[in-house]
Tab-separated table of all heavy atoms in Angstrom:
chain	number	residue	atom	x	y	z
A	27	MET	N	0.843	-1.155	0.000
A	27	MET	CA	0.000	0.000	0.000
A	27	MET	C	0.903	1.237	0.000
A	27	MET	O	1.692	1.424	0.916
A	27	MET	CB	-0.873	-0.021	1.247
A	27	MET	CG	-1.827	1.099	1.302
A	27	MET	SD	-3.173	0.664	2.401
A	27	MET	CE	-2.916	1.819	3.683
A	28	PRO	N	0.824	2.079	-0.997
A	28	PRO	CA	1.703	3.240	-1.068
A	28	PRO	C	1.323	4.303	-0.038
A	28	PRO	O	0.157	4.453	0.314
A	28	PRO	CB	1.512	3.755	-2.486
A	28	PRO	CG	0.192	3.227	-2.923
A	28	PRO	CD	-0.019	1.943	-2.174
A	29	ALA	N	2.337	5.008	0.432
A	29	ALA	CA	2.108	6.077	1.404
A	29	ALA	C	1.604	7.329	0.704
A	29	ALA	O	1.975	7.609	-0.425
A	29	ALA	CB	3.399	6.389	2.136
A	30	ARG	N	0.761	8.036	1.366
A	30	ARG	CA	0.196	9.257	0.810
A	30	ARG	C	1.189	10.413	0.986
A	30	ARG	O	1.777	10.573	2.055
A	30	ARG	CB	-1.067	9.585	1.583
A	30	ARG	CG	-2.062	10.333	0.843
A	30	ARG	CD	-3.237	10.546	1.748
A	30	ARG	NE	-4.458	10.349	1.006
A	30	ARG	CZ	-5.641	10.621	1.472
A	30	ARG	NH1	-5.775	11.054	2.696
A	30	ARG	NH2	-6.695	10.434	0.728
A	31	THR	N	1.389	11.214	-0.025
A	31	THR	CA	2.281	12.364	0.083
A	31	THR	C	1.455	13.634	0.184
A	31	THR	O	0.389	13.742	-0.422
A	31	THR	CB	3.226	12.462	-1.133
A	31	THR	OG1	2.429	12.579	-2.303
A	31	THR	CG2	4.112	11.247	-1.236
A	32	HIS	N	1.969	14.585	0.931
A	32	HIS	CA	1.287	15.865	1.089
A	32	HIS	C	1.817	16.840	0.050
A	32	HIS	O	3.014	16.951	-0.167
A	32	HIS	CB	1.518	16.422	2.497
A	32	HIS	CG	0.969	15.544	3.565
A	32	HIS	ND1	-0.376	15.471	3.836
A	32	HIS	CD2	1.572	14.677	4.416
A	32	HIS	CE1	-0.572	14.614	4.830
A	32	HIS	NE2	0.604	14.123	5.192
A	33	THR	N	0.937	17.540	-0.568
A	33	THR	CA	1.356	18.528	-1.553
A	33	THR	C	1.444	19.895	-0.895
A	33	THR	O	0.715	20.193	0.063
A	33	THR	CB	0.367	18.596	-2.728
A	33	THR	OG1	-0.923	18.935	-2.209
A	33	THR	CG2	0.296	17.275	-3.463
A	34	LEU	N	2.328	20.734	-1.400
A	34	LEU	CA	2.470	22.088	-0.885
A	34	LEU	C	1.290	22.929	-1.342
A	34	LEU	O	0.829	22.813	-2.481
A	34	LEU	CB	3.773	22.711	-1.388
A	34	LEU	CG	5.059	22.051	-0.902
A	34	LEU	CD1	6.262	22.682	-1.588
A	34	LEU	CD2	5.190	22.190	0.594
A	35	PRO	N	0.806	23.842	-0.489
A	35	PRO	CA	-0.338	24.655	-0.887
A	35	PRO	C	0.012	25.617	-2.019
A	35	PRO	O	-0.806	25.899	-2.868
A	35	PRO	CB	-0.706	25.410	0.383
A	35	PRO	CG	0.456	25.291	1.284
A	35	PRO	CD	1.212	24.071	0.867
A	36	HIS	N	1.239	26.146	-2.022
A	36	HIS	CA	1.683	27.052	-3.073
A	36	HIS	C	2.991	26.498	-3.628
A	36	HIS	O	4.009	26.532	-2.950
A	36	HIS	CB	1.911	28.466	-2.535
A	36	HIS	CG	0.690	29.056	-1.918
A	36	HIS	ND1	-0.370	29.496	-2.668
A	36	HIS	CD2	0.341	29.279	-0.629
A	36	HIS	CE1	-1.307	29.973	-1.866
A	36	HIS	NE2	-0.897	29.846	-0.621
A	37	PRO	N	2.992	25.988	-4.828
A	37	PRO	CA	4.232	25.453	-5.368
A	37	PRO	C	5.287	26.557	-5.489
A	37	PRO	O	4.982	27.690	-5.827
A	37	PRO	CB	3.855	24.910	-6.737
A	37	PRO	CG	2.447	25.267	-6.968
A	37	PRO	CD	1.881	25.875	-5.743
A	38	ALA	N	6.529	26.194	-5.167
A	38	ALA	CA	7.627	27.162	-5.204
A	38	ALA	C	7.976	27.497	-6.639
A	38	ALA	O	8.019	26.638	-7.509
A	38	ALA	CB	8.844	26.594	-4.488
A	39	THR	N	8.210	28.769	-6.861
A	39	THR	CA	8.647	29.193	-8.184
A	39	THR	C	10.154	29.074	-8.265
A	39	THR	O	10.845	29.299	-7.269
A	39	THR	CB	8.215	30.644	-8.474
A	39	THR	OG1	8.785	31.491	-7.485
A	39	THR	CG2	6.714	30.786	-8.463
A	40	PRO	N	10.692	28.721	-9.418
A	40	PRO	CA	12.138	28.576	-9.529
A	40	PRO	C	12.859	29.897	-9.261
A	40	PRO	O	12.452	30.945	-9.733
A	40	PRO	CB	12.358	28.140	-10.979
A	40	PRO	CG	11.020	27.733	-11.499
A	40	PRO	CD	10.002	28.385	-10.646
A	41	GLY	N	13.918	29.829	-8.469
A	41	GLY	CA	14.735	30.999	-8.185
A	41	GLY	C	14.269	31.816	-6.997
A	41	GLY	O	14.888	32.795	-6.648
A	42	SER	N	13.193	31.428	-6.330
A	42	SER	CA	12.741	32.194	-5.164
A	42	SER	C	12.953	31.371	-3.900
A	42	SER	O	12.853	30.150	-3.918
A	42	SER	CB	11.267	32.561	-5.307
A	42	SER	OG	10.473	31.405	-5.169
A	43	VAL	N	13.268	32.087	-2.832
A	43	VAL	CA	13.474	31.441	-1.542
A	43	VAL	C	12.506	32.071	-0.557
A	43	VAL	O	12.446	33.293	-0.425
A	43	VAL	CB	14.928	31.632	-1.057
A	43	VAL	CG1	15.123	31.025	0.315
A	43	VAL	CG2	15.894	31.027	-2.056
A	44	ASP	N	11.744	31.255	0.127
A	44	ASP	CA	10.786	31.744	1.108
A	44	ASP	C	11.081	31.064	2.436
A	44	ASP	O	10.661	29.932	2.666
A	44	ASP	CB	9.354	31.454	0.648
A	44	ASP	CG	8.322	32.089	1.567
A	44	ASP	OD1	8.680	33.071	2.250
A	44	ASP	OD2	7.191	31.611	1.585
A	45	VAL	N	11.821	31.756	3.277
A	45	VAL	CA	12.187	31.209	4.580
A	45	VAL	C	11.549	32.085	5.639
A	45	VAL	O	11.727	33.298	5.639
A	45	VAL	CB	13.723	31.193	4.761
A	45	VAL	CG1	14.076	30.692	6.147
A	45	VAL	CG2	14.369	30.343	3.703
A	46	ARG	N	10.820	31.480	6.527
A	46	ARG	CA	10.181	32.221	7.609
A	46	ARG	C	10.692	31.681	8.933
A	46	ARG	O	10.603	30.485	9.211
A	46	ARG	CB	8.677	32.074	7.544
A	46	ARG	CG	8.104	32.726	6.322
A	46	ARG	CD	6.620	32.649	6.331
A	46	ARG	NE	6.134	33.192	5.057
A	46	ARG	CZ	4.965	33.734	4.929
A	46	ARG	NH1	4.149	33.785	5.935
A	46	ARG	NH2	4.593	34.215	3.774
A	47	LEU	N	11.229	32.580	9.738
A	47	LEU	CA	11.745	32.213	11.048
A	47	LEU	C	10.697	32.501	12.109
A	47	LEU	O	9.962	33.480	12.014
A	47	LEU	CB	13.001	33.017	11.372
A	47	LEU	CG	14.227	32.743	10.514
A	47	LEU	CD1	15.340	33.713	10.888
A	47	LEU	CD2	14.700	31.323	10.683
A	48	PRO	N	10.640	31.670	13.133
A	48	PRO	CA	9.754	32.005	14.247
A	48	PRO	C	10.322	33.214	15.003
A	48	PRO	O	11.506	33.528	14.911
A	48	PRO	CB	9.768	30.745	15.114
A	48	PRO	CG	10.947	29.973	14.686
A	48	PRO	CD	11.288	30.386	13.296
A	49	TRP	N	9.496	33.885	15.790
A	49	TRP	CA	9.914	35.110	16.472
A	49	TRP	C	11.068	34.855	17.426
A	49	TRP	O	11.941	35.694	17.590
A	49	TRP	CB	8.744	35.745	17.215
A	49	TRP	CG	8.209	34.886	18.336
A	49	TRP	CD1	7.215	33.981	18.240
A	49	TRP	CD2	8.671	34.862	19.674
A	49	TRP	NE1	7.014	33.369	19.456
A	49	TRP	CE2	7.893	33.906	20.362
A	49	TRP	CE3	9.651	35.539	20.385
A	49	TRP	CZ2	8.083	33.616	21.702
A	49	TRP	CZ3	9.837	35.260	21.728
A	49	TRP	CH2	9.048	34.313	22.371
A	50	TRP	N	11.090	33.684	18.059
A	50	TRP	CA	12.123	33.428	19.053
A	50	TRP	C	13.470	33.133	18.418
A	50	TRP	O	14.499	33.213	19.070
A	50	TRP	CB	11.703	32.297	19.988
A	50	TRP	CG	11.255	31.063	19.277
A	50	TRP	CD1	9.991	30.713	18.963
A	50	TRP	CD2	12.080	30.014	18.766
A	50	TRP	NE1	9.969	29.521	18.294
A	50	TRP	CE2	11.240	29.060	18.164
A	50	TRP	CE3	13.446	29.771	18.772
A	50	TRP	CZ2	11.737	27.917	17.565
A	50	TRP	CZ3	13.933	28.629	18.182
A	50	TRP	CH2	13.075	27.716	17.587
A	51	ALA	N	13.517	32.814	17.142
A	51	ALA	CA	14.787	32.552	16.468
A	51	ALA	C	15.618	33.828	16.350
A	51	ALA	O	16.833	33.763	16.230
A	51	ALA	CB	14.545	31.953	15.093
A	52	LEU	N	14.985	34.970	16.379
A	52	LEU	CA	15.697	36.239	16.395
A	52	LEU	C	15.769	36.838	17.788
A	52	LEU	O	16.740	37.505	18.131
A	52	LEU	CB	15.019	37.237	15.448
A	52	LEU	CG	15.057	36.850	13.974
A	52	LEU	CD1	14.243	37.841	13.164
A	52	LEU	CD2	16.473	36.787	13.458
A	53	ALA	N	14.756	36.582	18.612
A	53	ALA	CA	14.703	37.187	19.936
A	53	ALA	C	15.715	36.571	20.908
A	53	ALA	O	16.340	37.294	21.684
A	53	ALA	CB	13.301	37.061	20.516
A	54	LEU	N	15.890	35.268	20.870
A	54	LEU	CA	16.799	34.634	21.822
A	54	LEU	C	18.261	35.030	21.623
A	54	LEU	O	18.937	35.370	22.600
A	54	LEU	CB	16.636	33.106	21.780
A	54	LEU	CG	15.341	32.582	22.384
A	54	LEU	CD1	15.287	31.068	22.301
A	54	LEU	CD2	15.196	33.026	23.814
A	55	PRO	N	18.802	35.022	20.405
A	55	PRO	CA	20.181	35.499	20.252
A	55	PRO	C	20.335	36.977	20.627
A	55	PRO	O	21.350	37.369	21.202
A	55	PRO	CB	20.486	35.273	18.768
A	55	PRO	CG	19.547	34.210	18.347
A	55	PRO	CD	18.312	34.411	19.165
A	56	ALA	N	19.331	37.786	20.323
A	56	ALA	CA	19.400	39.201	20.691
A	56	ALA	C	19.391	39.360	22.208
A	56	ALA	O	20.143	40.172	22.766
A	56	ALA	CB	18.237	39.958	20.067
A	57	LEU	N	18.576	38.579	22.896
A	57	LEU	CA	18.526	38.623	24.353
A	57	LEU	C	19.843	38.166	24.965
A	57	LEU	O	20.345	38.768	25.925
A	57	LEU	CB	17.369	37.756	24.864
A	57	LEU	CG	17.171	37.714	26.363
A	57	LEU	CD1	16.758	39.091	26.861
A	57	LEU	CD2	16.113	36.683	26.715
A	58	ALA	N	20.438	37.112	24.422
A	58	ALA	CA	21.732	36.635	24.916
A	58	ALA	C	22.821	37.681	24.692
A	58	ALA	O	23.672	37.903	25.565
A	58	ALA	CB	22.106	35.325	24.228
A	59	PHE	N	22.792	38.341	23.542
A	59	PHE	CA	23.773	39.383	23.259
A	59	PHE	C	23.645	40.527	24.250
A	59	PHE	O	24.642	41.013	24.784
A	59	PHE	CB	23.593	39.887	21.827
A	59	PHE	CG	24.502	41.027	21.487
A	59	PHE	CD1	25.836	40.803	21.217
A	59	PHE	CD2	24.018	42.326	21.449
A	59	PHE	CE1	26.679	41.852	20.916
A	59	PHE	CE2	24.847	43.372	21.145
A	59	PHE	CZ	26.187	43.140	20.876
A	60	VAL	N	22.427	40.955	24.527
A	60	VAL	CA	22.209	42.054	25.471
A	60	VAL	C	22.655	41.650	26.869
A	60	VAL	O	23.286	42.438	27.583
A	60	VAL	CB	20.729	42.488	25.446
A	60	VAL	CG1	20.409	43.438	26.584
A	60	VAL	CG2	20.404	43.134	24.117
A	61	ALA	N	22.368	40.422	27.281
A	61	ALA	CA	22.777	39.964	28.611
A	61	ALA	C	24.299	39.946	28.734
A	61	ALA	O	24.855	40.380	29.754
A	61	ALA	CB	22.206	38.572	28.884
A	62	LEU	N	24.994	39.460	27.718
A	62	LEU	CA	26.450	39.458	27.768
A	62	LEU	C	27.017	40.870	27.725
A	62	LEU	O	28.012	41.171	28.387
A	62	LEU	CB	27.015	38.617	26.618
A	62	LEU	CG	26.775	37.118	26.741
A	62	LEU	CD1	27.251	36.415	25.478
A	62	LEU	CD2	27.483	36.563	27.957
A	63	LEU	N	26.396	41.740	26.974
A	63	LEU	CA	26.842	43.126	26.916
A	63	LEU	C	26.687	43.808	28.271
A	63	LEU	O	27.561	44.554	28.707
A	63	LEU	CB	26.042	43.876	25.845
A	63	LEU	CG	26.491	45.297	25.538
A	63	LEU	CD1	27.915	45.286	24.999
A	63	LEU	CD2	25.553	45.930	24.540
A	64	VAL	N	25.596	43.528	28.966
A	64	VAL	CA	25.380	44.093	30.296
A	64	VAL	C	26.436	43.575	31.262
A	64	VAL	O	26.956	44.328	32.094
A	64	VAL	CB	23.954	43.777	30.795
A	64	VAL	CG1	23.791	44.065	32.273
A	64	VAL	CG2	22.936	44.563	29.994
A	65	LEU	N	26.788	42.304	31.171
A	65	LEU	CA	27.822	41.756	32.047
A	65	LEU	C	29.185	42.375	31.772
A	65	LEU	O	29.979	42.578	32.684
A	65	LEU	CB	27.896	40.235	31.904
A	65	LEU	CG	26.770	39.462	32.556
A	65	LEU	CD1	26.923	37.976	32.250
A	65	LEU	CD2	26.759	39.690	34.049
A	66	ILE	N	29.458	42.674	30.509
A	66	ILE	CA	30.736	43.298	30.177
A	66	ILE	C	30.769	44.729	30.690
A	66	ILE	O	31.787	45.192	31.227
A	66	ILE	CB	30.967	43.264	28.651
A	66	ILE	CG1	31.230	41.838	28.206
A	66	ILE	CG2	32.121	44.160	28.247
A	66	ILE	CD1	31.261	41.667	26.705
A	67	LEU	N	29.673	45.448	30.551
A	67	LEU	CA	29.633	46.844	30.971
A	67	LEU	C	29.584	47.000	32.481
A	67	LEU	O	30.041	48.000	33.015
A	67	LEU	CB	28.433	47.541	30.333
A	67	LEU	CG	28.484	47.665	28.816
A	67	LEU	CD1	27.210	48.318	28.296
A	67	LEU	CD2	29.702	48.462	28.380
A	68	ASN	N	29.032	46.031	33.193
A	68	ASN	CA	28.929	46.091	34.648
A	68	ASN	C	29.451	44.785	35.252
A	68	ASN	O	28.670	43.939	35.676
A	68	ASN	CB	27.476	46.347	35.063
A	68	ASN	CG	27.377	46.728	36.513
A	68	ASN	OD1	28.381	46.904	37.198
A	68	ASN	ND2	26.155	46.865	37.001
A	69	PRO	N	30.771	44.597	35.326
A	69	PRO	CA	31.317	43.321	35.801
A	69	PRO	C	31.141	43.083	37.295
A	69	PRO	O	31.444	42.011	37.781
A	69	PRO	CB	32.795	43.414	35.427
A	69	PRO	CG	33.085	44.863	35.360
A	69	PRO	CD	31.815	45.513	34.924
A	70	VAL	N	30.634	44.056	38.044
A	70	VAL	CA	30.415	43.865	39.472
A	70	VAL	C	29.378	42.774	39.712
A	70	VAL	O	29.464	42.014	40.672
A	70	VAL	CB	29.974	45.203	40.115
A	70	VAL	CG1	29.599	45.019	41.569
A	70	VAL	CG2	31.070	46.237	39.970
A	71	ASP	N	28.404	42.674	38.818
A	71	ASP	CA	27.344	41.690	38.977
A	71	ASP	C	27.777	40.281	38.600
A	71	ASP	O	27.113	39.311	38.952
A	71	ASP	CB	26.126	42.067	38.134
A	71	ASP	CG	25.493	43.350	38.636
A	71	ASP	OD1	25.678	43.658	39.821
A	71	ASP	OD2	24.839	44.030	37.831
A	72	ALA	N	28.877	40.145	37.886
A	72	ALA	CA	29.349	38.831	37.468
A	72	ALA	C	30.320	38.295	38.514
A	72	ALA	O	31.396	38.854	38.729
A	72	ALA	CB	30.035	38.925	36.115
A	73	HIS	N	29.933	37.242	39.174
A	73	HIS	CA	30.768	36.656	40.223
A	73	HIS	C	31.351	35.332	39.733
A	73	HIS	O	30.646	34.516	39.158
A	73	HIS	CB	29.942	36.403	41.485
A	73	HIS	CG	29.313	37.642	42.030
A	73	HIS	ND1	30.030	38.628	42.644
A	73	HIS	CD2	28.028	38.061	42.023
A	73	HIS	CE1	29.218	39.595	43.009
A	73	HIS	NE2	27.981	39.277	42.632
A	74	ALA	N	32.631	35.150	40.001
A	74	ALA	CA	33.276	33.891	39.636
A	74	ALA	C	32.865	32.814	40.632
A	74	ALA	O	32.736	33.062	41.822
A	74	ALA	CB	34.777	34.056	39.628
A	75	THR	N	32.666	31.630	40.137
A	75	THR	CA	32.315	30.524	41.019
A	75	THR	C	33.578	29.832	41.488
A	75	THR	O	34.591	29.771	40.786
A	75	THR	CB	31.431	29.498	40.283
A	75	THR	OG1	32.151	29.001	39.171
A	75	THR	CG2	30.132	30.130	39.834
A	76	THR	N	33.527	29.331	42.692
A	76	THR	CA	34.664	28.565	43.197
A	76	THR	C	34.482	27.144	42.724
A	76	THR	O	33.482	26.499	43.011
A	76	THR	CB	34.727	28.625	44.730
A	76	THR	OG1	33.496	28.151	45.255
A	76	THR	CG2	34.966	30.051	45.199
A	77	GLY	N	35.415	26.682	41.955
A	77	GLY	CA	35.293	25.359	41.367
A	77	GLY	C	36.216	24.354	42.039
A	77	GLY	O	36.970	24.665	42.955
A	78	ASP	N	36.137	23.169	41.559
A	78	ASP	CA	36.980	22.090	42.037
A	78	ASP	C	38.414	22.360	41.599
A	78	ASP	O	38.656	22.717	40.445
A	78	ASP	CB	36.461	20.778	41.426
A	78	ASP	CG	37.170	19.567	41.982
A	78	ASP	OD1	37.780	19.673	43.057
A	78	ASP	OD2	37.107	18.512	41.323
A	79	PRO	N	39.414	22.193	42.493
A	79	PRO	CA	40.799	22.441	42.095
A	79	PRO	C	41.245	21.552	40.936
A	79	PRO	O	42.093	21.952	40.135
A	79	PRO	CB	41.608	22.144	43.345
A	79	PRO	CG	40.646	22.124	44.470
A	79	PRO	CD	39.292	21.876	43.894
A	80	ALA	N	40.687	20.366	40.811
A	80	ALA	CA	41.065	19.476	39.714
A	80	ALA	C	40.608	20.062	38.376
A	80	ALA	O	41.333	19.990	37.384
A	80	ALA	CB	40.458	18.089	39.927
A	81	VAL	N	39.444	20.649	38.365
A	81	VAL	CA	38.944	21.263	37.141
A	81	VAL	C	39.798	22.472	36.784
A	81	VAL	O	40.165	22.680	35.622
A	81	VAL	CB	37.451	21.660	37.297
A	81	VAL	CG1	36.972	22.454	36.099
A	81	VAL	CG2	36.600	20.435	37.523
A	82	THR	N	40.146	23.275	37.787
A	82	THR	CA	40.998	24.442	37.557
A	82	THR	C	42.351	24.018	37.023
A	82	THR	O	42.879	24.627	36.085
A	82	THR	CB	41.162	25.236	38.864
A	82	THR	OG1	39.878	25.562	39.384
A	82	THR	CG2	41.956	26.505	38.630
A	83	HIS	N	42.913	22.977	37.601
A	83	HIS	CA	44.209	22.474	37.147
A	83	HIS	C	44.112	21.967	35.704
A	83	HIS	O	45.006	22.227	34.889
A	83	HIS	CB	44.691	21.358	38.078
A	83	HIS	CG	46.018	20.789	37.702
A	83	HIS	ND1	47.182	21.512	37.777
A	83	HIS	CD2	46.363	19.568	37.215
A	83	HIS	CE1	48.183	20.766	37.363
A	83	HIS	NE2	47.714	19.570	37.024
A	84	PHE	N	43.045	21.262	35.397
A	84	PHE	CA	42.855	20.747	34.043
A	84	PHE	C	42.747	21.894	33.032
A	84	PHE	O	43.357	21.846	31.963
A	84	PHE	CB	41.592	19.873	33.988
A	84	PHE	CG	41.241	19.410	32.613
A	84	PHE	CD1	41.995	18.435	31.986
A	84	PHE	CD2	40.161	19.956	31.931
A	84	PHE	CE1	41.674	18.002	30.711
A	84	PHE	CE2	39.838	19.542	30.659
A	84	PHE	CZ	40.598	18.558	30.042
A	85	VAL	N	41.988	22.923	33.370
A	85	VAL	CA	41.830	24.062	32.462
A	85	VAL	C	43.168	24.772	32.263
A	85	VAL	O	43.508	25.176	31.153
A	85	VAL	CB	40.752	25.032	32.994
A	85	VAL	CG1	40.730	26.325	32.200
A	85	VAL	CG2	39.390	24.366	32.983
A	86	GLU	N	43.955	24.904	33.312
A	86	GLU	CA	45.276	25.528	33.193
A	86	GLU	C	46.189	24.704	32.294
A	86	GLU	O	46.928	25.264	31.487
A	86	GLU	CB	45.906	25.699	34.567
A	86	GLU	CG	45.249	26.790	35.398
A	86	GLU	CD	45.788	26.837	36.822
A	86	GLU	OE1	46.621	25.975	37.186
A	86	GLU	OE2	45.387	27.750	37.550
A	87	ARG	N	46.142	23.389	32.413
A	87	ARG	CA	46.966	22.531	31.569
A	87	ARG	C	46.559	22.634	30.100
A	87	ARG	O	47.406	22.695	29.209
A	87	ARG	CB	46.875	21.063	32.016
A	87	ARG	CG	47.496	20.773	33.356
A	87	ARG	CD	48.982	20.892	33.309
A	87	ARG	NE	49.526	19.696	32.649
A	87	ARG	CZ	50.759	19.603	32.241
A	87	ARG	NH1	51.594	20.572	32.391
A	87	ARG	NH2	51.169	18.506	31.648
A	88	VAL	N	45.262	22.663	29.833
A	88	VAL	CA	44.774	22.815	28.465
A	88	VAL	C	45.225	24.152	27.908
A	88	VAL	O	45.678	24.251	26.754
A	88	VAL	CB	43.240	22.666	28.406
A	88	VAL	CG1	42.698	23.097	27.063
A	88	VAL	CG2	42.822	21.257	28.729
A	89	GLN	N	45.161	25.187	28.711
A	89	GLN	CA	45.580	26.509	28.277
A	89	GLN	C	47.083	26.525	27.963
A	89	GLN	O	47.509	27.135	26.991
A	89	GLN	CB	45.251	27.543	29.354
A	89	GLN	CG	45.487	28.965	28.927
A	89	GLN	CD	45.087	29.941	30.002
A	89	GLN	OE1	45.008	29.580	31.184
A	89	GLN	NE2	44.844	31.175	29.622
A	90	GLN	N	47.887	25.838	28.773
A	90	GLN	CA	49.318	25.765	28.526
A	90	GLN	C	49.628	25.016	27.225
A	90	GLN	O	50.478	25.416	26.447
A	90	GLN	CB	50.033	25.074	29.690
A	90	GLN	CG	50.089	25.903	30.945
A	90	GLN	CD	50.658	25.112	32.101
A	90	GLN	OE1	50.903	23.903	31.992
A	90	GLN	NE2	50.827	25.777	33.236
A	91	ILE	N	48.906	23.949	26.987
A	91	ILE	CA	49.123	23.159	25.776
A	91	ILE	C	48.729	23.953	24.529
A	91	ILE	O	49.417	23.922	23.519
A	91	ILE	CB	48.344	21.824	25.855
A	91	ILE	CG1	48.965	20.934	26.940
A	91	ILE	CG2	48.306	21.126	24.514
A	91	ILE	CD1	48.136	19.713	27.271
A	92	VAL	N	47.626	24.693	24.627
A	92	VAL	CA	47.153	25.461	23.479
A	92	VAL	C	48.112	26.610	23.154
A	92	VAL	O	48.357	26.912	21.993
A	92	VAL	CB	45.722	25.976	23.727
A	92	VAL	CG1	45.302	26.989	22.694
A	92	VAL	CG2	44.745	24.808	23.775
A	93	THR	N	48.688	27.244	24.173
A	93	THR	CA	49.556	28.382	23.939
A	93	THR	C	50.928	27.985	23.438
A	93	THR	O	51.670	28.823	22.966
A	93	THR	CB	49.712	29.240	25.215
A	93	THR	OG1	50.203	28.416	26.274
A	93	THR	CG2	48.386	29.868	25.588
A	94	ARG	N	51.299	26.743	23.511
A	94	ARG	CA	52.617	26.304	23.016
A	94	ARG	C	52.651	26.256	21.537
A	94	ARG	O	51.860	26.083	20.771
A	94	ARG	CB	52.982	24.936	23.566
A	94	ARG	CG	53.352	24.997	25.001
A	94	ARG	CD	53.850	23.660	25.455
A	94	ARG	NE	54.113	23.739	26.881
A	94	ARG	CZ	54.425	22.706	27.607
A	94	ARG	NH1	54.494	21.529	27.077
A	94	ARG	NH2	54.660	22.853	28.861
């Protein structure tokens, strides 16, 4: 039994591109950019977390290897 295929309501014309983004596809990157910009402009609000010394040591080693 063959599967039924859905047809497009408006067939695409050759050479045209119709791409529609949802509202959040533009809003979320813009919101992230603004949040990072605020953190850069006001670094008092950005607090460093105290991490595990093993993780800190690992990150330092990776940084040393990359800079060589």
Side-chain angles (χ1 to χ4, degrees):
M27 183 158 114
R30 208 179 221 189
T31 59
H32 298 284
T33 59
L34 295 174
H36 301 286
T39 59
S42 70
V43 177
D44 186 23
V45 177
R46 294 184 185 207
L47 293 175
W49 64 269
W50 51 265
L52 295 175
L54 288 180
L57 181 66
F59 176 77
V60 169
L62 290 174
L63 187 62
V64 167
L65 286 176
I66 290 171
L67 295 177
N68 193 6
V70 174
D71 294 336
H73 301 288
T75 60
T76 57
D78 187 19
V81 173
T82 305
H83 181 67
F84 174 73
V85 171
E86 288 173 356
R87 292 291 284 167
V88 168
Q89 187 177 21
Q90 289 173 354
I91 292 170
V92 169
T93 57
R94 287 186 184 173

